[in-house]
Amino acid sequence: MERNKNESIKYWLLTCGILNAVFYLLHDCIGARFYPGYNWMAQAVSDLTATDAPSRLIASELTKIHGIFSCVACTLICISAKDLWKEGSEKILRLGIYLFVAMHWISAIGYSLFPLTGSGYDGSFQSFVHVYVITVLVVLLSIVSLILIAVGGFKSGNKVLAWCAVVAFLLMFLGAAGSAAVPSAYFGIVERFSTYSAVCFTAVIAVIAFMKFRKMEK
C-alpha cells in the first residue's frame, strides 16, 4: 500500500514536467494580451516580464509557476536517475540530466532575481546580469547537457531520448544563431526556438521517466 502511494506521488510529480510547458506557453500568450503593442515576431519572451512591462504582473506569476513545475519534475528525475538509468553505460546520460536540472534551477532563480529592467536590454546592471550572466549560463548548460544526453543516450540504447535531445539542441542552436542573423522584425520568432526547446525537452524527459517507472513496476 505504501509503495503504491509513493509511486502515485512520483507520477503526479512527473506531470509537473508537462505542466511546465503549459504554463510557459500561457505566460507567452496571456502576457502578450496584457502588453499593448507587443509584437511576438520581433520581441523576446523576456520582454513580457521586464520591470516596466505592462504585462509583468500576470506574466511573471505564470513564469514562476512554470519554474516551480520544471524544477519539481527535473529534481525528481535527477534523484531517480540512478534507478531510471542505472547501467554503467548510462553514466554520461545521467551527467547530462544533472546539468540540465542545474540549468533549470539557475534559470528559475536567476531570472526571478534579475528580470530585465526595461523592454529589451537597457544597459543597467540588472539587465547585464540577466543577459550576460544568467542567459549565458543557461545557454551553456543547456547545450552541454543536451550533447551529453544525446551521446549517452545513443551509447546506452536510449535512442528516443537521444534523438529528442538532438532535436532540442538543433532548435536551440538555430535560435541562438538565427537571433543574430535574421532582421530585427523576426527576432522574436527565432528566439523562441531556443526558449521553447528547453521547455519542451523537459516535458519529454518527464514523459520518458513516467514510462520507465511504469515499466519497472511490471
Side-chain angles (χ1 to χ4, degrees):
M1 184 70 178
E2 186 66 27
R3 182 183 174 184
N4 291 337
K5 184 179 179 181
N6 290 337
E7 294 301 328
S8 297
I9 292 173
K10 283 183 180 178
Y11 295 145
W12 278 110
L13 291 178
L14 284 174
T15 60
C16 292
I18 299 171
L19 291 173
N20 115 88
V22 171
F23 275 88
Y24 193 83
L25 179 62
L26 287 175
H27 122 270
D28 193 359
C29 296
I30 295 177
R33 293 181 65 86
F34 285 84
Y35 192 129
Y38 181 80
N39 182 359
W40 70 272
M41 295 177 67
Q43 292 180 256
V45 182
S46 54
D47 284 1
L48 295 170
T49 52
T51 53
D52 64 347
S55 56
R56 173 172 170 73
L57 183 61
I58 182 68
S60 61
E61 292 305 313
L62 291 170
T63 12
K64 286 175 185 175
I65 297 172
H66 144 74
I68 292 170
F69 281 143
S70 62
C71 287
V72 167
C74 282
T75 301
L76 173 63
I77 294 168
C78 184
I79 293 170
S80 307
K82 285 190 176 181
D83 295 323
L84 294 169
W85 297 282
K86 54 190 174 184
E87 296 180 12
S89 59
E90 295 174 323
K91 191 176 293 184
I92 297 175
L93 192 157
R94 291 199 302 271
L95 176 59
I97 289 174
Y98 296 150
L99 292 178
F100 192 75
V101 171
M103 178 276 294
H104 268 295
W105 278 100
I106 290 172
S107 175
I109 297 172
Y111 287 135
S112 295
L113 293 176
F114 298 97
L116 284 175
T117 51
S119 297
Y121 182 72
D122 65 358
S124 66
F125 173 76
Q126 190 165 313
S127 288
F128 177 85
V129 174
H130 179 103
V131 175
Y132 293 107
V133 178
I134 306 301
T135 300
V136 169
L137 277 173
V138 167
V139 170
L140 287 177
L141 282 172
S142 297
I143 290 172
V144 173
S145 63
L146 289 172
I147 290 174
L148 290 174
I149 291 170
V151 172
F154 283 124
K155 287 184 68 174
S156 60
N158 294 277
K159 292 186 178 180
V160 174
L161 182 57
W163 277 115
C164 288
V166 170
V167 172
F169 173 79
L170 291 175
L171 287 173
M172 192 172 292
F173 179 79
L174 180 63
S179 296
V182 300
S184 58
Y186 302 106
F187 171 81
I189 297 176
V190 293
E191 187 257 357
R192 280 168 171 78
F193 285 141
S194 293
T195 56
Y196 275 95
S197 60
V199 171
C200 293
F201 186 67
T202 303
V204 168
I205 295 181
V207 171
I208 290 174
F210 183 94
M211 294 171 66
K212 286 183 76 70
F213 274 130
R214 292 298 296 268
K215 189 176 179 179
M216 287 164 59
E217 284 183 1
K218 295 180 180 178

